[in-house]
Amino acid sequence: MSTGSKARSRMYTYVMVILVIGLVIAGVYTFVVKPGETRDAPAVEAVNPNG
């Protein structure tokens, strides 16, 4: 395996691309999907949906 500067540079680029993709996925999940957000239902219906 080559350990020259060219191989090292490509590995750093690969790691940075993976990191950026992970940050994009995390950002989309946090700001678009909004985990933990409930629907617009009254609290009573959310706790006891059968009445």
Side-chain angles (χ1 to χ4, degrees):
M1 294 177 70
S2 175
T3 57
S5 63
K6 193 172 189 179
R8 191 175 302 124
S9 173
R10 288 183 180 170
M11 183 55 79
Y12 287 143
T13 302
Y14 175 77
V15 170
M16 292 306 286
V17 166
I18 296 297
L19 180 65
V20 168
I21 290 171
L23 289 173
V24 167
I25 291 172
V28 167
Y29 180 74
T30 301
F31 296 110
V32 176
V33 177
K34 297 180 181 174
E37 187 174 286
T38 59
R39 293 196 171 102
D40 294 332
V44 174
E45 290 179 17
V47 173
N48 189 5
N50 295 328

